[in-house]
Amino acid sequence: MSACCQQVFHTEGEIPYAAIGFAGLPGAITGMSAAGLTVHEAGNDNKEVTLEGFLWPLRLRSVMAEAHNLGEAQAFWEKTDNTMGINHGIGSAADPGFLAMETKAGFTAYFQDNDPRERDYVHNGTHYGFPIPEAVWRTNHGYDADIISTNVQGTRSFKWFAMLPCFHVATATLTYPTLQGPKPGN
C-alpha cells in the first residue's frame, strides 16, 4: 500500500505511541504505545450513526496516548462517545487479556475471552461463535444482540479474521526502543 504510513508521536504529558494509517488520515487504523497498549479496527456498518462523538481514528490515537492498561483503556472509552459502527480491539502488555468492542452511536458492547455471546451465536442454523480461554478472535461482524439488531446488512455473510495474530504481526516492527527513543531533534 503506497499510501500507508506510520507516525510516531512524542507529545509532552502523553505516552509515546506509533499510529499506523494512511497519508492524509490524522488518526490511527492500528497502533501501539510505549506502555504496550495495542489498538485496531475492523469495520462493522451500523444504521445508528451520529456526528456527535469522538471520531474513532482520533479516539484510537487518544487511548494509546492516555491508557497504560486495559482498565484505563476501557475507562477512557466509556467517557467518550461513539459515532458509528466499528469493531475495535485493545490489547495490553501490562495485563493479560484483550478487549474487543462492537460499537454504534451511543452504545458499546465489550467482549473478553470466552464470552458466552460468542459461544452461543447461531445464524441460519450455523454456529459461528468459537470462544476460547485467553483469546478473543474477531470477525468484522457483531455478536452482541443490540449491535446485530441495527446492522446495515440485511443478510449476514461472515468473513473471518484472526485479528490478534494479524494485528500483532502488523505491530511487531514497532519495537519499544523505537517508541521510547529520543525525540526528533534531540
Side-chain angles (χ1 to χ4, degrees):
M1 289 189 255
S2 61
C4 186
C5 68
Q6 174 183 333
Q7 299 175 330
V8 177
F9 294 87
H10 293 271
T11 304
E12 189 172 330
E14 294 183 347
I15 300 166
Y17 63 93
I20 300 171
F22 299 97
L25 176 74
I29 301 295
T30 187
M32 182 175 180
S33 76
L37 202 75
T38 61
V39 299
H40 85 269
E41 67 80 26
N44 187 20
D45 292 337
N46 198 284
K47 295 173 189 172
E48 295 186 13
V49 298
T50 182
L51 295 176
E52 296 178 17
F54 202 158
L55 300 175
W56 68 262
L58 299 176
R59 197 177 191 189
L60 291 181
R61 275 186 52 187
S62 293
V63 76
M64 287 188 289
E66 293 188 25
H68 293 89
N69 56 49
L70 289 178
E72 289 180 10
Q74 184 170 346
F76 176 87
W77 203 267
E78 289 172 350
K79 72 178 183 180
T80 57
D81 294 322
N82 304 324
T83 56
M84 61 181 291
I86 295 281
N87 284 342
H88 297 284
I90 300 178
S92 171
D95 45 11
F98 182 83
L99 182 63
M101 301 170 296
E102 299 174 0
T103 68
K104 66 180 182 177
F107 178 75
T108 300
Y110 298 94
F111 289 79
Q112 292 186 334
D113 67 322
N114 229 12
D115 193 287
R117 290 170 291 181
E118 292 180 347
R119 179 192 67 227
D120 301 334
Y121 191 76
V122 175
H123 179 71
N124 290 339
T126 302
H127 184 252
Y128 285 100
F130 300 99
I132 49 180
E134 301 181 15
V136 180
W137 294 88
R138 270 295 108 180
T139 174
N140 60 338
H141 296 281
Y143 283 101
D144 182 80
D146 286 339
I147 297 293
I148 293 168
S149 71
T150 54
N151 194 346
V152 168
Q153 301 167 353
T155 60
R156 296 175 59 83
S157 168
F158 278 82
K159 296 176 184 160
W160 293 97
F161 300 97
M163 294 310 295
L164 289 176
C166 293
F167 179 70
H168 288 294
V169 167
T171 60
T173 58
L174 304 177
T175 60
Y176 289 114
T178 301
L179 294 174
Q180 295 175 343
K183 294 181 182 179
N186 289 343

